């Protein structure tokens, strides 16, 4: 199992958290998603089939900015 932490800008409320958790959680191979609003991070537990691009696409598709 892999763990990836992604810095995300633009999340400010529980709706933001739900949107990101739902979008990222829908990716095949993702087993857990934790959003930290204060820390502006999304932590994802996933298997090796999931790429960083998959995660970025899901988050950016909800209107948030992934920061490298």
């Amino acid at each position: 199992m892999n763990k990836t932490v992604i810095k995300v800008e633009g999340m400010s409320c529980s709706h933001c958290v739900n949107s990101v958790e739902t979008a990222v959680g829908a990716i095949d191979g993702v087993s857990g998603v934790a959003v930290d609003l204060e820390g502006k991070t999304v932590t994802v537990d996933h298997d090796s089939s999931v790429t960083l691009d998959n995660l970025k696409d899901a988050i950016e598709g909800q209107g948030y900015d992934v920061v490298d």
Side-chain angles (χ1 to χ4, degrees):
M1 192 61 57
N2 298 319
K3 183 179 293 266
T4 301
V5 179
I6 302 168
K7 189 145 181 70
V8 179
E9 293 288 340
M11 299 183 301
S12 60
C13 63
S14 61
H15 173 75
C16 301
V17 171
N18 291 336
S19 294
V20 171
E21 286 180 346
T22 301
V24 174
I27 299 170
D28 284 340
V30 170
S31 57
V33 182
V35 176
D36 178 358
L37 274 181
E38 267 187 39
K40 298 182 179 180
T41 61
V42 178
T43 303
V44 185
D45 294 318
H46 58 89
D47 64 28
S48 59
S49 70
V50 179
T51 67
L52 184 56
D53 283 342
N54 296 145
L55 301 174
K56 283 182 176 181
D57 288 348
I59 294 166
E60 290 176 344
Q62 296 303 306
Y64 307 106
D65 296 319
V66 173
V67 181
D68 292 323

